[in-house]
Amino acid sequence: EQSRIVTRVEALMRLCDALEAKGQLEAAQHAQLVSTLLGTLTASTTPEELADHWQRVAQHFDLLAGRPEAIDALEQTLLQLAVRGLLVPQDPTDEPASALLQKIRAEKDRLIATGQIKRDKPLPPITDEEKPFELPVGWEWVRLESLASQITDGAHHTPTYLPEGVPFLSVKDLSSGFIDFSDTRFISDQEHRELARRCRPEMGDVLLTKIGTTGIAVVIDTHRAFSLFVSVALIKLPTVSVDRDFLALVINSPFVRQQSEDGTEGVGNKNLVLRKIKAFQIPIPPLTEQSRIVTRVTALRRLCADLRQRLAERQSVQARLAEALVQEVA
């Protein structure tokens, strides 16, 4: 009987190995299909081309959305299309981005004149060779520093931690894509006030992870006071400025995330230095179009979340069936 058991188990193990190999092959084929289909979308240069290419994708959408990594890739593709102006139509009556940039420049000059912010060393303009794609009419290329009234980072020293007090956030508290206070450390109110002289996060500011897991942008949506570690950058915007959610969307898009990756220095725990953050190339549409893009992307990301939920439920059912089968055999 021992011999029969060994023979049976070896046969079943060979079957498992064959199924695993088949699954890996199908995963590779699926990844290639996803890359090809989504690549046609990002290759679009006009809304008309995008519509034609989307019809091709729609024919295989059931296959496309069959794996979690494919849904992640679809979401990143949507962000890439958004920053190129292909997700919503342009309105010729919108005030162009050039006028918005003039207003931002005027407000920054006023803040500099009153001593509220310092004048940074100007960065070189974006050359035609640096522009990776053409922008729609009314859009402008600009470096991130030109949009911000301040770009800095958190404390460059490790503070004294306390059991309770003012939250002290680092990358781990933002890596989920939102501010998570559930596992943060705390510092004293006095130390927080000292740190706030140079770096004071406030409602509506944009945070950017810059050490370790780099390039994640989060808009501050709370009035709760907190301080930052050096691993997080703070981007403050003038009153007359871009839509905060749009700026976070752009920074989180593959286009700027690649700039984040290219801008890191060191080995191991890489650091995205401030000068590289300030030099980010940002495509800016008219302010009203920014709002339309944010609304559209928010709706599409909710659909992606629904797809993930349905996929997780289906996998859960499959897992329960497999467990029941194993128990029945046992």
Side-chain angles (χ1 to χ4, degrees), residues 72-124:
D72 294 340
L74 173 61
E75 189 167 357
Q76 289 300 303
T77 299
L78 294 173
L79 294 179
Q80 190 77 336
L81 295 172
V83 302
R84 294 179 56 190
L86 294 174
L87 275 191
V88 301
Q90 280 74 50
D91 186 341
T93 65
D94 287 342
E95 182 180 67
S98 57
L100 173 62
L101 295 178
Q102 291 176 358
K103 293 178 181 178
I104 294 173
R105 181 69 264 170
E107 181 172 348
K108 290 182 64 175
D109 288 341
R110 180 183 60 79
L111 294 174
I112 292 171
T114 57
Q116 298 180 58
I117 64 173
K118 297 180 179 179
R119 185 182 298 276
D120 290 325
K121 182 179 179 181
L123 293 170

Side-chain angles (χ1 to χ4, degrees), residues 12-25:
L12 292 174
M13 292 300 293
R14 285 195 296 271
L15 176 60
C16 289
D17 291 340
L19 290 173
E20 182 179 5
K22 184 175 184 294
Q24 291 175 347
L25 178 62

Side-chain angles (χ1 to χ4, degrees), residues 311-326:
L311 187 58
E313 291 172 354
R314 187 177 72 184
Q315 291 173 337
S316 176
V317 170
Q318 292 173 342
R320 290 197 299 270
L321 289 174
E323 182 180 356
L325 178 61
V326 171

Side-chain angles (χ1 to χ4, degrees), residues 59-249:
Q59 295 174 5
H60 306 280
F61 193 77
D62 55 336
L63 294 174
L64 180 68
R67 296 174 184 264
E69 57 270 22
I71 300 174
D72 294 340
L74 173 61
E75 189 167 357
Q76 289 300 303
T77 299
L78 294 173
L79 294 179
Q80 190 77 336
L81 295 172
V83 302
R84 294 179 56 190
L86 294 174
L87 275 191
V88 301
Q90 280 74 50
D91 186 341
T93 65
D94 287 342
E95 182 180 67
S98 57
L100 173 62
L101 295 178
Q102 291 176 358
K103 293 178 181 178
I104 294 173
R105 181 69 264 170
E107 181 172 348
K108 290 182 64 175
D109 288 341
R110 180 183 60 79
L111 294 174
I112 292 171
T114 57
Q116 298 180 58
I117 64 173
K118 297 180 179 179
R119 185 182 298 276
D120 290 325
K121 182 179 179 181
L123 293 170
I126 299 173
T127 64
D128 290 339
E129 290 74 18
E130 291 180 283
K131 301 173 183 176
F133 47 82
E134 290 292 327
L135 295 178
V137 175
W139 290 47
E140 295 288 342
W141 284 106
V142 66
R143 298 201 185 275
L144 180 57
E145 183 184 50
S146 299
L147 301 175
S149 57
Q150 182 188 27
I151 299 178
T152 187
D153 53 16
H156 285 226
H157 65 278
T158 302
T160 301
Y161 297 123
L162 302 174
E164 57 183 19
V166 179
F168 185 76
L169 271 58
S170 63
V171 167
K172 70 178 180 60
D173 304 306
L174 303 173
S175 57
S176 58
F178 58 89
I179 299 176
D180 184 3
F181 290 106
S182 63
D183 191 35
T184 186
R185 291 175 171 175
F186 300 95
I187 60 175
S188 68
D189 186 65
Q190 179 181 353
E191 190 158 15
H192 165 68
R193 289 196 300 269
E194 292 174 356
L195 294 175
R197 294 175 182 175
R198 188 181 71 86
C199 178
R200 180 189 293 275
E202 296 175 299
M203 181 83 167
D205 293 342
V206 179
L207 304 177
L208 177 64
T209 59
K210 61 182 285 287
I211 296 179
T213 305
T214 61
I216 299 175
V218 178
V219 179
I220 300 178
D221 59 356
T222 176
H223 289 289
R224 185 176 182 180
F226 61 88
S227 282
L228 299 171
F229 192 44
V230 65
S231 58
V232 180
L234 173 68
I235 304 171
K236 284 186 170 293
L237 301 173
T239 304
V240 180
S241 187
V242 299
D243 184 299
R244 268 76 170 160
D245 292 314
F246 175 80
L247 182 60
L249 180 155

Side-chain angles (χ1 to χ4, degrees), residues 46 49 74 97 180 284 291 293 323:
T46 65
E49 281 188 17
L74 173 61
D180 184 3
I284 292 296
S291 179
I293 291 173
E323 182 180 356

